[in-house]
Amino acid sequence: MTVKVAVIYYSATGSVYALAQAVAEGATSAGAEVRLRRVAELAPDSAIDQDPRWRRHADAATSIAQASVEDLAWADAFAFGTPTRFGAPAAQLKQFIDQAGGLWREGVLADKPVTAFTSAFNRHGGSEATILSLSNVFYHWGALIVPPGFTDPVVYGAGGNPYGTSLVTGPTGSGPDGAVLEAARYQGRRLARITIRLLGDEHAAARESVAATSVSSGS
């Protein structure tokens, strides 16, 4: 069966964007229909212009569709990506999430699988804390958190973060290497496969319920 996955991210200089692309590729390879969406930039041009990499990526990203809450309603599962900001998600992603209150009240976000990925300047720069901070949102939604865990060797190859794929950019701001991209693809595949399994079980249970009702009515 085909499931729908929304990969929603914020990226300043492009590192998280590269991870988001890989997560989307992994979900697609598992048979999912994927929407790759960026959240709106909140920083003023004066701040963006101070970093050539930020300006370059901001200009390049205009070709990518901007996320809306409709993408959350559409999706069967979510993957959220953000750089770490003092151990927490970037304000741009948080501002987008804060718009989902209506869907939350209606129960639209409940029971949907979700996963997260991030990047940081230093190896101990807050990657795990950022993903755990996002998990607080998912608990409130009643979503089903799907971490990569230590379920595949590629997780170890990318640095061994069981919470979600994380990139260490370092002073050069370098993008993810092959090992990290493969871990991100695996995370996307895992999310899609678990969603397929979950929805398949739900549909099977619904069919059994209908069959039981029909038998009961017939008797």
Side-chain angles (χ1 to χ4, degrees):
M1 66 178 302
T2 300
V3 299
K4 297 172 289 187
V5 175
V7 180
I8 297 174
Y9 73 95
Y10 171 70
S11 186
T13 60
S15 297
V16 175
Y17 168 58
L19 293 178
Q21 284 184 305
V23 170
E25 290 167 3
T28 299
S29 72
E33 179 183 353
V34 177
R35 286 185 183 179
L36 179 64
R37 297 289 189 267
R38 62 180 176 89
V39 300
E41 178 62 81
L42 303 179
D45 285 337
S46 58
I48 297 173
D49 289 338
Q50 291 179 18
D51 186 337
R53 295 172 302 167
W54 194 355
R55 169 49 64 195
R56 190 161 50 247
H57 181 68
D59 291 343
T62 57
S63 61
I64 301 168
Q66 190 167 296
S68 72
V69 292
E70 190 277 332
D71 295 312
L72 298 178
W74 167 86
D76 298 312
F78 319 114
F80 289 99
T82 176
T84 182
R85 294 289 186 263
F86 305 108
Q92 289 86 344
L93 183 65
K94 184 60 168 61
Q95 192 268 352
F96 171 77
I97 288 173
D98 286 347
Q99 299 176 50
L103 295 180
W104 165 73
R105 283 191 297 272
E106 295 166 7
V108 174
L109 306 174
D111 302 329
K112 291 186 177 183
V114 61
T115 199
F117 52 97
T118 188
S119 71
F121 183 86
N122 297 305
R123 182 162 299 281
H124 299 288
S127 293
E128 293 179 358
T130 296
I131 293 175
L132 291 172
S133 178
L134 275 173
S135 294
N136 290 331
V137 174
F138 308 148
Y139 295 140
H140 281 257
W141 287 0
L144 307 177
I145 299 173
V146 180
F150 292 114
T151 57
D152 192 277
V154 298
V155 177
Y156 294 93
N161 188 342
Y163 302 96
T165 305
S166 55
L167 166 67
V168 179
T169 61
T172 62
S174 57
D177 60 19
V180 174
L181 289 175
E182 189 51 45
R185 293 187 188 100
Y186 169 71
Q187 190 170 350
R189 286 196 303 274
R190 176 170 164 79
L191 177 68
R193 288 170 178 169
I194 287 177
T195 306
I196 290 169
R197 187 187 312 167
L198 178 66
L199 293 185
D201 290 344
E202 287 182 352
H203 292 162
R207 287 194 297 270
E208 291 177 2
S209 177
V210 170
T213 301
S214 298
V215 171
S216 176
S217 299
S219 62

